[in-house]
Amino acid sequence: EGGPTYASHHEVVVGPALDTLQSLPISEPFDLIFVDANKSEYQRYVEILMERGLLADGCQIIADNTLYCGIPYTDKLFDAQPARRAFGESIRDFNLWVKNHPHLTQVILPIRDGVSIIMYKPTIDNA
């Protein structure tokens, strides 16, 4: 009681993101998505969102940790935390997938571990 009125417009869903994304209603696509979860699943998250029509035209996807301590772009010889290498490689693969996807445009901001702003455009302008 006495809390913000907008809180009633949000629902917190707890569970594995891949399962949750499959259960979201498709009635209203999202304008903004924030991704900060299992690094090896980033690409699949975005694929599911696109496949299910959950992204509005021009949707902004904010993906955290897209530089991941520099691991995606340094030789494993320089690993201070070798156990994190697999996540770094997953992030590298995600960034490359986004770069090459015809409906996605990405800007990586070099803030701490990197933040990407990705725009979804389901149609390609030929102008």
Side-chain angles (χ1 to χ4, degrees):
E1 189 173 354
T5 59
Y6 59 83
S8 64
H9 300 282
H10 300 287
E11 177 184 350
V12 176
V13 180
V14 178
L18 290 175
D19 296 339
T20 302
L21 290 171
Q22 295 290 359
S23 67
L24 291 173
I26 58 172
S27 57
E28 292 185 40
F30 293 97
D31 295 315
L32 178 69
I33 301 284
F34 182 75
V35 179
D36 184 16
N38 184 331
K39 308 311 175 220
S40 63
E41 296 176 348
Y42 272 27
Q43 180 176 330
R44 189 66 192 132
Y45 300 150
V46 177
E47 288 172 338
I48 291 171
L49 291 163
M50 289 190 295
E51 289 165 5
R52 298 199 62 232
L54 290 168
L55 301 178
D57 188 356
C59 175
Q60 299 289 308
I61 303 166
I62 310 300
D64 200 16
N65 305 118
T66 52
L67 293 177
Y68 202 70
C69 305
I71 292 171
Y73 305 102
T74 57
D75 189 278
K76 64 182 176 180
L77 176 69
F78 300 104
D79 283 357
Q81 300 176 32
R84 299 176 80 182
R85 171 59 54 180
F87 285 132
E89 291 172 354
S90 293
I91 289 294
R92 182 193 60 230
D93 294 345
F94 171 73
N95 287 332
L96 185 60
W97 175 77
V98 170
K99 175 183 176 267
N100 292 321
H101 197 285
H103 301 294
L104 301 173
T105 303
Q106 178 183 39
V107 173
I108 300 176
L109 304 175
I111 302 167
R112 296 200 28 108
D113 274 347
V115 175
S116 286
I117 302 171
I118 303 165
M119 185 191 305
Y120 173 66
K121 293 296 285 178
T123 56
I124 300 172
D125 296 329
N126 291 325

